[in-house]
Amino acid sequence: FSTGNSVKHGLGGYITNDTQGIFAQTSGFVSYASHFALGDQLRLSVGVSGGVVNRLIDVSSVSVLEPNDPTSLAYQNQQGRTTNFDVNAGIFLYSDLFYAGYSAARIFQNRLYTDSEITGQQQLTHFGMLGIRLNLSEALLLVPGAFVGYDGINPLTYDVGARLKLRDLLWFGASYRNTK
């Protein structure tokens, strides 16, 4: 929806349920974004999302080699379940010629488990993206771009790639990711 010629607003949300082996996660988030015109062609978007994440680890299906392992005991003490509120936010600058953005996920860095000896918590993760749009001809558009992610613990991850658009009908693309 729009509140004038220079500002547009977006509202959305999602609910997910994901299960992998003994791990299950259900989450629901509501998102809001504002798009501001910074000139005839340049726009800036700022967005935020907030929601609830419920995680469950089926600790009854797990056998551990060390019965007194602090991490295993911490999960067992809370029956493998955590429920947290969290926030994600981002900013995106774009035009017909390029795009650049930054976002942060898991801003609250919630605890996944806690015990008297140890605490496990989520890491704030930073994401960045950058790309350009190159009109090769009337029919062909080339869009090379890069995406990076960093959480302060794991090595930097990145994707680099390009898409080729043919007459607004067909896209071709390829990318490379430095991690598995």
Side-chain angles (χ1 to χ4, degrees), residues 106 122-125 149-157 178-179:
R106 295 177 289 283
Q122 291 186 308
Q123 296 300 308
L124 173 67
T125 304
Y150 184 66
D151 65 11
I153 293 177
N154 296 302
L156 180 81
T157 61
N178 71 319
T179 61

Side-chain angles (χ1 to χ4, degrees), residues 12 17 38 41 58 61 70-71 80 82 104 110-111 125 145-146 162 169 178:
N17 184 26
L38 300 179
Q41 301 295 320
D58 184 3
S61 300
T71 303
T82 59
N110 291 304
R111 289 185 176 175
T125 304
L169 296 174
N178 71 319

Side-chain angles (χ1 to χ4, degrees), residues 1-10 43:
F1 59 96
S2 177
T3 57
N5 291 339
S6 64
V7 180
K8 295 185 180 185
H9 306 274
R43 297 192 71 80

Side-chain angles (χ1 to χ4, degrees), residues 8 21 26 39 50 69 80 97 141 148 172:
K8 295 185 180 185
T26 302
D69 175 68
L97 302 175
L141 173 70
V148 296
F172 299 95

Side-chain angles (χ1 to χ4, degrees), residues 10-70:
L11 186 62
Y14 62 90
I15 297 172
T16 62
N17 184 26
D18 187 24
T19 302
Q20 286 186 317
I22 63 168
F23 301 98
Q25 178 172 299
T26 302
S27 60
F29 279 78
V30 175
S31 304
Y32 169 78
S34 290
H35 298 258
F36 304 95
L38 300 179
D40 289 341
Q41 301 295 320
L42 191 61
R43 297 192 71 80
L44 178 70
S45 177
V46 179
V48 65
S49 68
V52 176
V53 180
N54 179 277
R55 291 174 193 80
L56 175 65
I57 298 176
D58 184 3
V59 292
S60 67
S61 300
V62 176
S63 59
V64 294
L65 296 175
E66 282 274 335
N68 295 321
D69 175 68

Side-chain angles (χ1 to χ4, degrees), residues 24-173:
Q25 178 172 299
T26 302
S27 60
F29 279 78
V30 175
S31 304
Y32 169 78
S34 290
H35 298 258
F36 304 95
L38 300 179
D40 289 341
Q41 301 295 320
L42 191 61
R43 297 192 71 80
L44 178 70
S45 177
V46 179
V48 65
S49 68
V52 176
V53 180
N54 179 277
R55 291 174 193 80
L56 175 65
I57 298 176
D58 184 3
V59 292
S60 67
S61 300
V62 176
S63 59
V64 294
L65 296 175
E66 282 274 335
N68 295 321
D69 175 68
T71 303
S72 174
L73 292 174
Y75 275 118
Q76 289 175 17
N77 288 339
Q78 59 195 48
Q79 288 80 45
R81 179 180 300 276
T82 59
T83 301
N84 303 107
F85 177 77
D86 214 340
V87 172
N88 307 308
I91 187 167
F92 193 66
L93 184 67
Y94 62 100
S95 75
D96 289 341
L97 302 175
F98 77 97
Y99 62 90
Y102 165 80
S103 64
R106 295 177 289 283
I107 290 174
F108 286 176
Q109 300 180 54
N110 291 304
R111 289 185 176 175
L112 298 174
Y113 55 83
T114 187
D115 196 29
S116 60
E117 296 180 31
I118 61 167
T119 297
Q121 77 182 70
Q122 291 186 308
Q123 296 300 308
L124 173 67
T125 304
H126 304 274
F127 298 101
M129 66 174 70
L130 180 64
I132 57 173
R133 293 181 178 96
L134 304 169
N135 289 314
L136 301 179
S137 72
E138 188 83 18
L140 286 175
L141 173 70
L142 178 65
V143 184
F147 179 83
V148 296
Y150 184 66
D151 65 11
I153 293 177
N154 296 302
L156 180 81
T157 61
Y158 62 88
D159 293 34
V160 292
R163 296 174 295 173
L164 186 63
K165 182 178 177 184
L166 176 63
R167 293 198 186 271
D168 284 333
L169 296 174
L170 200 53
W171 284 91
F172 299 95

